[in-house]
Amino acid sequence: DQQVKQNSPSLSVQEGRISILNCDYTNSMFDYFLWYKKYPAEGPTFLISISSIKDKNEDGRFTVFLNKSAKHLSLHIVPSQPGDSAVYFCAASVGAQKLVFGQGTRLTINP
Amino acid sequence: DSGVTQTPKHLITATGQRVTLRCSPRSGDLSVYWYQQSLDQGLQFLIQYYNGEERAKGNILERFSAQQFPDLHSELNLSSLELGDSALYFCASSVNLEAIDEQFFGPGTRLTVL
């Protein structure tokens, strides 16, 4: 039972353009969402989060959008930079408890 | 460097064997989480300890167990290993007990079961 899904295993974007990573969830009880980024041979690192009482959260080049009615989460990176090439995981939680992660999307930024 | 250390980095063993993975959290962090990442899979939460006590359980098999010691380091014990246990095992730590607090991940231990 995959409660959090990232349907695109990979995404390729040109440097300077916008990268949009998507995440869908099935559990309507999820009330907090996070994005983690992972480089090869390293553990994931926290990127940005959003509570279900908001529909947008911005941090520099990174913006997360939450559409509760569609049970859809997206991460926008603009402008995309070569250092953004990594695997991105979305995660969700109910009541600040354990995180449920998606399968990840590999983002490649092309020069 | 997240400040979380995991040993060993790589582990190769045979089916039926038992192994222990070790994690040292960041200084001051009381929560330790264990995750499993199998091939092409996302991170699967296994278990969380907070200040020595089990706090939350995820999809952890009965063959697996963990503990957190008084010095706050943690060990994940995997027994009766099967081929399907081959995976990357990550440990993460955070200051508080809420999973939504920023978790700092170690580099992982790659387990290969032959």
Side-chain angles (χ1 to χ4, degrees), chain A residues 20-33:
Chain A
I20 300 176
L21 296 105
N22 295 305
C23 180
D24 296 300
Y25 60 95
T26 57
N27 188 346
S28 58
M29 298 297 290
F30 285 142
D31 56 8
Y32 206 86
F33 303 86

Side-chain angles (χ1 to χ4, degrees), chain A residues 22-94:
Chain A
N22 295 305
C23 180
D24 296 300
Y25 60 95
T26 57
N27 188 346
S28 58
M29 298 297 290
F30 285 142
D31 56 8
Y32 206 86
F33 303 86
L34 308 90
W35 285 93
Y36 276 79
K37 178 170 79 171
K38 184 183 180 306
Y39 292 120
E42 295 182 12
T45 55
F46 171 76
L47 196 54
I48 193 169
S49 62
I50 187 167
S51 163
S52 61
I53 63 173
K54 295 185 174 182
D55 54 19
K56 176 183 173 181
N57 188 25
E58 197 170 349
D59 183 2
R61 298 185 297 113
F62 302 91
T63 302
V64 56
F65 294 92
L66 176 61
N67 183 334
K68 288 186 288 293
S69 60
K71 295 192 182 69
H72 180 80
L73 185 72
S74 63
L75 174 68
H76 292 212
I77 307 173
V78 57
S80 300
Q81 299 174 354
D84 297 328
S85 294
V87 176
Y88 290 78
F89 293 97
C90 66
S93 166
V94 177

Side-chain angles (χ1 to χ4, degrees), chain B residues 1-107:
Chain B
D1 185 354
S2 67
V4 177
T5 60
Q6 289 187 248
T7 56
K9 280 189 169 47
H10 301 276
L11 198 48
I12 301 175
T13 188
T15 55
Q17 296 297 304
R18 172 189 170 94
V19 297
T20 297
L21 313 184
R22 182 187 168 102
C23 169
S24 293
R26 290 189 324 155
S27 177
D29 284 359
L30 298 178
S31 268
V32 169
Y33 305 81
W34 285 98
Y35 293 90
Q36 179 193 57
Q37 185 183 17
S38 302
L39 191 65
D40 295 330
Q41 295 293 313
L43 293 154
Q44 300 285 327
F45 168 70
L46 295 178
I47 197 164
Q48 177 198 2
Y49 278 81
Y50 177 77
N51 203 19
E53 299 291 325
E54 182 183 304
R55 172 69 184 173
K57 254 185 174 178
N59 300 322
I60 187 166
L61 300 171
E62 284 193 15
R63 300 183 286 108
F64 296 1
S65 65
Q67 54 184 329
Q68 186 179 27
F69 294 87
D71 67 352
L72 300 178
H73 91 272
S74 178
E75 293 180 355
L76 179 67
N77 301 296
L78 316 176
S79 61
S80 302
L81 284 168
E82 302 175 359
L83 295 178
D85 297 327
S86 295
L88 259 175
Y89 291 85
F90 288 103
C91 164
S93 73
S94 65
V95 173
N96 299 312
L97 55 80
E98 294 187 335
I100 61 172
D101 289 339
E102 181 175 354
Q103 296 183 28
F104 295 85
F105 283 76

